[in-house]
Amino acid sequence: MEGVLWYVLTGTRGGANRVRLVRAVDERPRNANQLAEDLDLDYKTVRHHLDVLMDNGIVENSGDEYGAVYLLTDRVRQHWETVEEIIGKVE
């Protein structure tokens, strides 16, 4: 999981925005529209990054597709020290 976190959050072009999304979801689970507003990002950009985060087991959603709320997976919580290290390097 640590390798996945480093790759998805720092090894690709959208890493910085993914880190922002992970931090925001850690603060409080939100849906894509709320994340777009809170982070001042385009809705489609948020959806794209959430899909990447979901494909890599970093976030999961609950609820229906439209209003689904995103939260961190248990796997990411188990590797939270790595996430904090990544956040420190990205900021």
Side-chain angles (χ1 to χ4, degrees):
M1 186 68 192
E2 290 182 22
V4 170
L5 288 168
W6 280 102
Y7 174 72
V8 171
L9 300 177
T10 66
T12 58
R13 190 169 164 218
N17 279 333
R18 291 183 196 130
V19 167
R20 293 178 67 204
L21 286 166
V22 167
R23 289 184 70 196
V25 170
D26 178 50
E27 290 173 9
R28 177 174 50 91
R30 297 171 232 201
N31 65 33
N33 190 47
Q34 292 168 324
L35 288 164
E37 287 181 18
D38 293 348
L39 300 177
D40 196 26
L41 292 171
D42 180 74
Y43 177 80
K44 288 182 179 179
T45 299
V46 168
R47 291 293 316 191
H48 167 73
H49 290 302
L50 287 171
D51 288 344
V52 172
L53 293 171
M54 284 188 59
D55 288 347
N56 287 283
I58 297 171
V59 299
E60 60 189 354
N61 65 7
S62 63
D64 62 18
E65 184 67 26
Y66 179 74
V69 173
Y70 292 85
L71 50 144
L72 298 176
T73 63
D74 289 340
R75 284 180 66 199
V76 168
R77 294 258 181 233
Q78 292 170 0
H79 295 276
W80 191 248
E81 287 181 15
T82 302
V83 174
E84 288 180 331
E85 183 180 352
I86 292 169
I87 289 171
K89 294 212 183 262
V90 170
E91 292 180 335

